Amino acid sequence: MSYITCLGSSALSDFRRRALVSQLHVKDVRARWVHFVALHDSGTLNDYNQNDLNRMLTYGDEYPEEDEEDGDNTTTWFVQPRKGTLSPWSSKATSIAEVCGFGNSVKRIERGTIFKITSDGDFDVEKAKEKLHDKMTQDLTINMPDLETMFGEHAPAPAKIIDLFVEGNDPHEILRKANKTMGLALDDSEIEYLVSKFTSEGGLGRSPFDVELYMFAQINSEHCRHKQFNAFYTIDGVKKDLSLFSMIRNTNQKSPKYVVSAYSDNAAVLDAQEGQNASFFAPLHLSKEWTQIHERMYYVIKAESHNHPSAISPFPGAATGAGGEIRDEGAVGRGSRPKAGLTGFNVSSLLIPGFHQPWELEGVSKPGHIASGLDIMLEGPIGSATFNNEFGRPCITGYFRTFLAKVPIDGGVELRGYHKPIMLAGGLGTVRPFHAHKDASIVPPGSLILVLGGPAMLIGLGGGAASSQTSAEGSADLDFASVQRGNAEVQRRAQEVINACVAMGSDNPILFIHDIGAGGLSNGIPELVHDSGLGAKIELREVDNADRGLSPLEIW
């Protein structure tokens, strides 16, 4: 495989450049896009084609020509997508290149940024790195990236065995160590259960693979199982009749009118009033002509939180929160349509510089890799709105609250607030009545499992378990690795496939559908298979991925 590099235009607006200069206390900050192009093994670009490609990759404000070479007071950094990932920009640019006639020569286009910081003396390097790149999705280096590493095909990594039965060692302690280093969020009862199952007496008689432990951790996480919400509480010596989840469901039990389904699918379904029909455009199955369909519709409603990712990296965390909720709205019954969204945030004190409020508490510490309330409110709402807009769904309402207070507890004082924020994502959609329910009886043995969306990549690992821990209980590296990456355009393409299938009415080829969220395929596919009342055989190497060198754990 061969590669070419194309310098692009300015990557910073004047407003953004001035803001960075002020924040970093430096003389100047310049940034320029740089494009990395991987060619097919048989692909070549002649001078004419490369000029066309250069023109396609020229956009935005022109980068100012430099009058002199960089001096000793200039620091140069290169920012590029994290190893093993594929940026949303790359997905779009590669698709555009193919449409523009470069499909036979260009395999993939990726984009990075060259930053040049000019200062009169020392500056806060760590603060500058934090401002200029997102650790979750990008790498920052002092040299131009190695394109063989970025684009090259790597040998598939094997699964690893976590040897529990090392002579002279307690298997419980070995698993507890793995629990911490892998960020599994297992409690003592789950560790005891796993050790007992992998002993000879438990039936397996072997040590587990890392991918098995990861899958168990995601499926049985608080995020997925809602163990605390489903638990029964004893308060002041009195056992309560209802769990927290039962209290929530109690509303539906007391007032079930118009409820078609609730707490049994990816979103709730409400009936429309009699005679309340709706219209939508869809292609006819046989003629492929678009036509207006006028029929009765059910409403789909959904709200969920995306707290952990928004605390770690507010913009992409909130963006994937909106994206995850949208996927839920599109995976109701046998396929549904997201229509409009909402977003909300609860954070601790904002402490806006020069605008502190009397009720705000100052000097309260927080884990270093958790964003402040102000950073979350400056970046999170834009992340959520950006994903909604790029997907093509209006975000029409929302809220935000701040709270941090000293509360007297048992003769002492505790701090109560939202250091780990609440990021609420919700929305409204529609589903055709005859597609509103999931029915395992229509899924025959031998059915195929299809995964719609972008490729698997080395990002978003262990999201279910990571988001189930106390804030900052896990390591910073594991927290950053656990956050997903949003790609609104690819998600819109997947939704269009669902829309086309739904438009086929009784010929809809979708028999059962689930969205893939926290925990990845290891959570979504087993749920789909289990709810279908069947088993499945999964060939992990047939899963589309951005890096063939991924291990089974990283794919699954």
Side-chain angles (χ1 to χ4, degrees), residues 421-437:
I422 292 176
M423 185 274 159
L424 185 74
L428 174 73
T430 58
V431 62
R432 303 180 81 173
F434 46 84
H435 289 154
H437 294 280

Side-chain angles (χ1 to χ4, degrees), residues 285-539:
H285 178 42
L286 295 179
S287 67
K288 310 302 180 187
E289 295 178 352
W290 285 77
T291 187
Q292 187 179 33
I293 298 175
H294 190 68
E295 65 183 20
R296 188 179 183 185
M297 279 289 187
Y298 286 163
Y299 297 109
V300 171
I301 59 172
K302 174 74 178 187
E304 65 179 20
S305 62
H306 214 237
N307 309 335
H308 167 77
S310 301
I312 301 300
S313 197
F315 184 102
T320 53
E325 189 279 324
I326 291 172
R327 288 196 304 275
D328 279 328
E329 280 185 48
V332 172
R334 294 175 62 189
S336 45
R337 289 170 176 254
K339 294 290 186 179
L342 65 89
T343 188
F345 294 85
N346 290 50
V347 298
S348 288
S349 298
L350 294 180
L351 297 174
I352 300 173
F355 196 65
H356 291 192
Q357 299 302 307
W359 61 83
E360 293 183 321
L361 300 181
E362 301 186 38
V364 178
S365 64
K366 66 176 184 62
H369 61 290
I370 298 293
S372 68
L374 180 59
D375 285 339
I376 292 169
M377 288 314 303
L378 288 175
E379 300 173 23
I382 300 175
S384 175
T386 297
F387 195 100
N388 273 281
N389 290 338
E390 291 182 357
F391 177 82
R393 181 186 81 158
C395 189
I396 58 176
T397 187
Y399 79 93
F400 94 91
R401 299 284 187 272
T402 70
F403 177 76
L404 180 63
K406 293 180 179 179
V407 180
I409 300 290
D410 297 331
V413 175
E414 287 188 1
L415 285 170
R416 297 291 176 90
Y418 294 101
H419 267 20
K420 183 175 183 178
I422 292 176
M423 185 274 159
L424 185 74
L428 174 73
T430 58
V431 62
R432 303 180 81 173
F434 46 84
H435 289 154
H437 294 280
K438 285 181 165 57
D439 183 2
S441 67
I442 68 171
V443 185
S447 297
L448 299 178
I449 297 174
L450 277 69
V451 180
L452 293 177
M457 60 184 69
L458 192 57
I459 199 165
L461 292 181
S467 59
S468 301
Q469 301 184 77
T470 301
S471 186
E473 184 178 65
S475 74
D477 289 340
L478 288 175
D479 276 345
F480 275 103
S482 70
V483 185
Q484 302 165 28
R485 150 235 187 229
N487 190 332
E489 183 187 359
V490 169
Q491 187 162 323
R492 163 49 68 182
R493 293 179 187 180
Q495 182 62 49
E496 288 301 325
V497 174
I498 296 171
N499 292 349
C501 292
V502 166
M504 295 170 67
S506 59
D507 294 321
N508 182 358
I510 298 174
L511 304 179
F512 223 88
I513 184 170
H514 273 302
D515 78 301
I516 303 297
L521 299 177
S522 72
N523 190 14
I525 289 182
E527 183 179 359
L528 181 147
V529 171
H530 175 269
D531 291 349
S532 300
L534 299 170
K537 180 180 179 181
I538 310 296
E539 293 290 346

Side-chain angles (χ1 to χ4, degrees), residues 5-7 49-58 102:
T5 300
C6 306
L7 291 175
N49 286 338
Q50 185 155 348
N51 287 336
D52 285 345
L53 184 63
N54 284 330
R55 281 200 295 271
M56 190 187 82
L57 296 175
T58 301
F102 294 101

Side-chain angles (χ1 to χ4, degrees), residues 30 37 47 145 164 223 300 342 348 417 481 511-512 554:
R30 289 167 289 159
V37 183
D47 292 340
L164 298 182
H223 178 94
V300 171
L342 65 89
S348 288
L511 304 179
F512 223 88
E554 293 162 346

Side-chain angles (χ1 to χ4, degrees), residues 83-247:
K83 178 184 175 183
T85 69
L86 180 75
S87 73
W89 185 93
S90 175
S91 303
K92 300 173 187 176
T94 304
S95 177
I96 291 171
E98 184 174 351
V99 171
C100 291
F102 294 101
N104 292 328
S105 52
V106 173
K107 183 175 183 180
R108 179 179 151 204
I109 305 176
E110 194 52 270
R111 182 174 72 173
T113 312
I114 304 173
F115 284 101
K116 294 189 176 183
I117 303 173
T118 305
S119 62
D120 292 327
D122 294 335
F123 63 95
D124 190 334
V125 172
E126 292 305 315
K127 181 178 180 181
K129 288 181 178 180
E130 182 182 332
K131 290 291 184 182
L132 297 182
H133 90 297
D134 178 6
K135 182 180 177 182
M136 186 190 79
T137 59
Q138 296 172 319
D139 287 330
L140 186 149
T141 60
I142 60 173
N143 298 310
M144 191 73 86
D146 179 5
L147 299 189
E148 186 61 41
T149 300
M150 179 181 290
F151 294 117
E153 298 285 347
H154 305 101
K160 297 178 181 178
I161 294 177
I162 309 300
D163 193 353
L164 298 182
F165 306 110
V166 178
E167 187 174 351
N169 289 271
D170 181 3
H172 297 83
E173 288 303 317
I174 295 174
L175 189 51
R176 286 191 184 95
K177 182 178 179 180
N179 184 36
K180 187 172 183 61
T181 57
M182 296 173 67
L184 302 180
L186 302 174
D187 62 28
D188 287 341
S189 66
E190 290 166 335
I191 289 175
E192 177 61 39
Y193 172 82
L194 285 170
V195 170
S196 67
K197 287 298 180 182
F198 280 99
T199 62
S200 298
E201 294 79 8
L204 293 176
R206 62 174 176 84
S207 290
F209 286 97
D210 55 356
V211 63
E212 291 177 305
L213 293 180
Y214 239 69
M215 177 175 170
F216 180 91
Q218 306 319 307
I219 293 177
N220 289 282
S221 65
E222 175 63 34
H223 178 94
C224 299
R225 289 291 189 199
H226 309 299
K227 290 174 282 191
Q228 293 182 22
F229 263 76
N230 281 309
F232 287 89
Y233 286 79
T234 299
I235 302 176
D236 295 333
V238 179
K239 184 176 181 180
K240 299 301 178 180
D241 295 330
L242 299 175
S243 66
L244 293 176
F245 230 140
S246 297
M247 294 179 192

